[in-house]
Amino acid sequence: MDHTAVLARPGYAPSWRVYVRLAKLDIYDYYLATPLLLAMLLPGEPLGADGWAVLGLFLVGGVAMFAGLCSFDDVTGYRDGSDAANYGPDAPARRLARKPLITGALGEAQAVRFAWSAIAVQFACWGLALAVAPHRPWWAVTATGLCLFAGFQYSWWLRLSYRGWQEFLLAAYGWVFVLAPYGLVTGRADGFALVLGLVFGLGPLLFGVYSNVNDIAGDRAVGRRTVAVLAPPAGNALFVAALSLVEAALLVLPAQLGAAPRWFAALAVPVIVLRAGQFTLGLVAGSREILRARRLGIHTHRVCTALLIAACLLNGGAA
């Protein structure tokens, strides 16, 4: 099909499914913060209308943020050629379809308009969440504000992910999605709540770093400074191992220090085992199945979130 001709045809309007693919709505792992928040909050005092509003507005704003972020990321990747390198014509059709600019299903101007519309929705939702929140601790307000701007600038304007901030941002978005609304609803985030938020944020990072290994050639060609690009393979493997050990420590040590229930470490054993399997599959010599390791990382994050929710329910919330 001549996609250029299709886009030039008068009255042509892409299907809503094209925008779903552009927004990467099938990757919902950050949005799992909402069921986790419900498990952290509901076993305690009942939520008021303002608390429910904060959670709902943060979820809608978060979906809008990533719709804009992913759209801008695709436009940037389309312009600099990195997506063409990482999603070449030999990519499986289902994987290639996730890049509608490359397949020609969507025009660049349409993608940019959609991205700005999504970011406007995010600003409106999170601004309203701050306005109606029952509490406004300075750190929650600051984190929300920083995430508002660091979201769409992941690969647009400042292009933070190109300047060495990618790995930090992948975790920070998850931390903000849990801890900021929790703080706006309760006025605090310490002890077990802090542990839950930190563990949750590491999940997306620990499948993102495997994607970076797969994308080294394309990222290096356009100057995207990830650890996978900057470090030798052994150094990057040590970096990923260190992140995995940090997650394991957050799952094991808080119970020993009184910041989590004593049984929390035992509940988290499956996550540690899956993470070890992911590292072996993706980065141990003789295996190096990077994309399979990435998929296992996604499943591990979902298993981990389910166990965090179970821990909250068993504990009677995050307090």
Side-chain angles (χ1 to χ4, degrees):
M1 177 185 294
D2 184 349
H3 295 293
T4 303
V6 170
L7 288 170
R9 191 171 63 206
Y12 171 75
S15 163
W16 62 268
R17 294 181 179 84
V18 174
Y19 288 104
V20 167
R21 291 197 293 272
L22 180 70
K24 309 296 183 286
L25 294 183
D26 58 320
I27 301 297
Y28 54 82
D29 298 270
Y30 282 103
Y31 316 141
L32 296 176
T34 298
L36 176 57
L37 280 162
L38 291 173
M40 293 167 70
L41 292 164
L42 289 182
E45 297 181 5
L47 277 178
D50 49 5
W52 283 106
V54 168
L55 296 188
L57 289 165
F58 234 88
L59 173 60
V60 175
V63 173
M65 173 186 137
F66 275 102
L69 181 157
C70 292
S71 300
F72 279 137
D73 193 57
D74 274 15
V75 172
T76 300
Y78 177 73
R79 288 178 176 177
D80 65 21
S82 59
D83 277 353
N86 296 331
Y87 293 80
D90 58 338
R94 185 176 179 185
R95 182 168 179 253
L96 188 57
R98 290 170 52 78
K99 295 292 182 178
L101 286 169
I102 291 180
T103 64
L106 193 67
E108 183 180 322
Q110 292 168 315
V112 171
R113 284 196 298 271
F114 175 77
W116 279 123
S117 298
I119 296 304
V121 171
Q122 181 204 3
F123 270 66
C125 286
W126 282 12
L128 188 55
L130 291 174
V132 304
H135 302 277
R136 297 185 191 87
W138 69 267
W139 55 266
V141 174
T142 301
T144 301
L146 289 174
C147 197
L148 277 169
F149 289 95
F152 76 90
Q153 295 191 81
Y154 179 81
S155 55
W156 199 252
W157 284 2
L158 293 180
R159 304 206 306 171
L160 296 172
S161 68
Y162 281 67
R163 301 177 186 278
W165 287 87
Q166 190 207 63
E167 290 84 0
F168 173 77
L169 289 173
L170 290 178
Y173 295 146
W175 297 333
V176 172
F177 275 34
V178 173
L179 295 175
Y182 185 83
L184 294 174
V185 171
T186 67
R188 64 183 187 278
D190 50 17
F192 194 31
L194 184 59
V195 171
L196 295 167
L198 292 176
V199 171
F200 180 85
L202 286 175
L205 173 59
L206 279 166
F207 60 78
V209 288
Y210 288 85
S211 294
N212 288 348
V213 175
N214 183 69
D215 296 344
I216 286 175
D219 287 345
R220 179 177 287 128
V222 299
R224 196 171 205 164
R225 300 174 61 192
T226 66
V227 173
V229 167
L230 297 175
N236 184 60
L238 285 174
F239 172 69
V240 177
L243 292 176
S244 302
L245 289 173
V246 168
E247 181 189 57
L250 285 169
L251 291 169
V252 172
L253 294 181
Q256 317 306 316
L257 300 174
R262 295 184 63 84
W263 41 262
F264 181 64
L267 188 70
V269 166
V271 177
I272 298 172
V273 172
L274 286 170
R275 200 64 79 193
Q278 180 189 7
F279 182 81
T280 301
L281 182 63
L283 293 172
V284 171
S287 179
R288 299 187 182 275
E289 297 280 351
I290 291 296
L291 293 180
R292 285 182 60 200
R294 176 185 181 274
R295 286 195 296 272
L296 179 56
I298 293 172
H299 295 315
T300 301
H301 174 63
R302 294 171 184 175
V303 168
C304 182
T305 303
L307 292 175
L308 296 180
I309 290 170
C312 289
L313 298 176
L314 289 171
N315 189 55

